[in-house]
Amino acid sequence: MSLRVLVGCKRVIDYAVKIRVRPDKMGVVTDGVKHSMNPFDEIAIEEAVRLKEKKIAKEVIAVSCGPTQAQETIRTALAMGADRGIHVEIPAKEMEKLEPLHVSKILAKLAEKEGAELLIVGKQAIDDDSNATAQMTAALLEWPQATFASKIEKTDGTLLVVREVDGGLETIKVKLPAVVSADLRLNEPRYATLPNIMKAKKKKIVKMKPADLGVDTTAHFEVVEVCDPPSREAGIKVEDVDALVSKLKEAGRI
Amino acid sequence: MSSELIQQQKKLPAMSLRPQVVQLYKNLLYLGREYPLGYDYFREKLKNAFIKNKDVTDPEQIKMMIGRGEFVIKEIEALYMLRKYRTMKRRYYDNENNYRVNKDAQ
């Protein structure tokens, strides 16, 4: 049984960029800032491609929601080994307000439309850190979910997934079709080198709008304010243990 | 044969490697976009490294240098991967040790 795998990848501000809050305090500066694929989504794509190399998957489809530049993210996925891409066009202004619920509805519709048997996404995006899309998509599809996956094995008709949880590792068995969210230690993604990018140009990317999938992207939330986290205070040096104790008492720590 | 013709004959196998060398340069340049010390720094170093060897004609030596270039590509890919992994690990998984309460304080 060879699977069709759908992988969601998000275009986010590059992980190495120093984030700056916009002067209007309603978001972060994105103009002219380097963007790349969410690192957890890279891990998701890598896992799907590895499944294809092991002949467990027969096709890997990369999906991204966003403005025109989201196509760069899909191209990276294609360069890493995905077979074709789907670009769900969402203008930049709407993208700011796009919620995990909208993405989940889009992914769920696409999973049904494409006949996918496995949906893999990164566990969270490094910009909004929602950690909700995989879970909600599974609920909408009524598929089982295996989140925070650090190892995936296929047995007949089911997946054996090792999950990273607070207490350690949990191994679960989920029936296919299923939704999986990728954690950091699932694999090490390959780099999309220039020759691979060039080869990937032949692969197809289909464009569509959320409305084509019957998904309404009206915002349910309103951003009230975005501000910097409080800066770390300098440490204080004390002269002796008594001073330390009195300072701790002052701070209400003891 | 005239010495010019002999010179040209010597250059021929070396010239057939030119596309490979050019492709190597392009690949490295593409990789350099993410270099921690900056793309401009990388491009200058890369250019100097290639120009330094522009008069090499021995095909065996050229092949060896291309091999070295490909090794450098692997090294840089490994650098990028480690950097990303370490940053992600520090940001998302070291809270258990309470070393970093504020994820942006790095």
Side-chain angles (χ1 to χ4, degrees):
Chain A
M1 179 212 194
S2 222
L3 306 170
R4 179 170 287 128
V5 186
L6 191 66
V7 186
C9 43
K10 186 180 181 187
R11 177 178 178 264
V12 297
I13 295 179
D14 188 78
Y15 82 98
V17 168
K18 179 123 185 27
I19 309 290
R20 284 178 306 142
V21 176
R22 281 206 318 245
D24 66 3
K25 290 200 154 201
M26 290 298 280
V28 296
V29 177
T30 53
D31 282 337
V33 172
K34 180 164 191 248
H35 284 68
S36 50
M37 194 192 297
N38 181 34
F40 292 111
D41 295 338
E42 286 177 346
I43 297 173
I45 298 268
E46 175 66 28
E47 194 61 22
V49 173
R50 285 192 192 185
L51 287 173
K52 201 174 77 152
E53 286 166 354
K54 285 187 226 168
K55 308 266 200 273
I56 295 171
K58 64 172 178 248
E59 194 187 21
V60 176
I61 309 165
V63 185
S64 192
C65 302
T68 326
Q69 297 98 317
Q71 290 197 18
E72 288 161 22
T73 308
I74 301 178
R75 293 248 170 258
T76 308
L78 295 171
M80 285 171 74
D83 297 297
R84 56 187 169 91
I86 300 175
H87 173 208
V88 181
E89 285 182 288
I90 292 166
K93 272 275 150 234
E94 259 178 66
M95 194 61 194
E96 277 174 31
K97 305 202 184 85
L98 198 70
E99 297 154 19
L101 183 57
H102 301 137
V103 180
S104 299
K105 287 182 178 173
I106 291 171
L107 289 177
K109 275 275 147 58
L110 282 172
E112 280 170 351
K113 188 167 172 283
E114 299 290 334
E117 292 138 302
L118 180 59
L119 176 68
I120 314 181
V121 291
K123 70 165 184 173
Q124 65 198 75
I126 59 171
D127 53 6
D128 60 14
D129 290 312
S130 297
N131 197 328
T133 309
Q135 292 85 338
M136 286 199 271
T137 314
L140 288 167
L141 286 164
E142 292 196 348
W143 288 6
Q145 57 186 264
T147 53
F148 314 111
S150 67
K151 188 157 188 256
I152 304 176
E153 263 170 46
K154 184 166 179 293
T155 55
D156 293 310
T158 66
L159 286 179
L160 206 63
V161 179
V162 178
R163 307 178 58 222
E164 289 207 18
V165 295
D166 286 343
L169 298 172
E170 180 192 55
T171 309
I172 59 170
K173 203 189 257 192
V174 285
K175 285 199 191 130
L176 290 164
V179 175
V180 173
S181 81
D183 210 325
L184 189 64
R185 282 166 272 258
L186 182 58
N187 58 48
E188 291 104 36
R190 64 198 67 190
Y191 196 84
T193 58
L194 187 62
N196 292 340
I197 299 255
M198 288 293 144
K199 271 186 258 172
K201 287 200 168 162
K202 295 187 210 135
K203 299 183 186 176
K204 283 205 161 74
I205 299 180
V206 167
K207 288 202 285 211
M208 57 181 75
K209 299 198 169 60
D212 299 337
L213 298 164
V215 175
D216 175 16
T217 56
T218 320
H220 304 105
F221 298 108
E222 182 199 325
V223 172
V224 173
E225 192 199 8
V226 175
C227 57
D228 279 303
S231 51
R232 204 157 159 230
E233 280 167 23
I236 318 165
K237 274 192 179 154
V238 291
E239 283 176 0
D240 54 24
V241 181
D242 289 332
L244 175 64
V245 172
S246 70
K247 280 257 183 260
L248 285 171
K249 278 198 175 139
E250 254 174 65
R253 298 286 187 186
I254 50 168
Chain B
M1 272 198 255
S2 73
S3 63
E4 252 176 51
L5 220 51
I6 295 172
Q7 288 279 27
Q8 281 209 17
Q9 292 266 9
K10 275 194 186 152
K11 272 197 193 150
L12 280 171
M15 282 313 277
S16 72
L17 288 168
R18 191 169 196 279
Q20 277 185 51
V21 175
V22 172
Q23 189 60 49
L24 178 68
Y25 187 83
K26 285 183 185 170
N27 293 346
L28 277 162
L29 205 58
Y30 184 78
L31 213 52
R33 295 170 322 153
E34 269 187 72
Y35 201 69
L37 292 171
Y39 177 64
D40 293 329
Y41 172 92
F42 186 90
R43 192 175 42 171
E44 215 191 300
K45 292 277 171 187
L46 178 67
K47 198 165 167 209
N48 291 341
F50 271 64
I51 284 191
K52 197 171 55 154
N53 298 312
K54 72 177 164 75
D55 292 323
V56 176
T57 49
D58 174 22
E60 285 312 309
Q61 224 185 326
I62 295 177
K63 278 187 204 154
M64 188 207 73
M65 286 182 187
I66 292 175
R68 209 196 297 161
E70 280 168 5
F71 177 74
V72 169
I73 289 181
K74 290 268 171 295
E75 291 269 280
I76 297 175
E77 283 178 11
L79 165 75
Y80 290 168
M81 187 204 67
L82 270 171
R83 209 170 140 246
K84 191 177 279 192
Y85 178 83
R86 282 191 186 137
T87 309
M88 298 300 285
K89 183 165 185 288
R90 220 182 302 137
R91 249 183 232 175
Y92 288 95
Y93 300 88
D94 280 354
N95 279 333
E96 290 109 54
N97 301 326
N98 285 319
Y99 288 151
R100 204 169 302 283
V101 173
N102 180 348
K103 111 171 174 186
D104 285 328
Q106 63 129 322

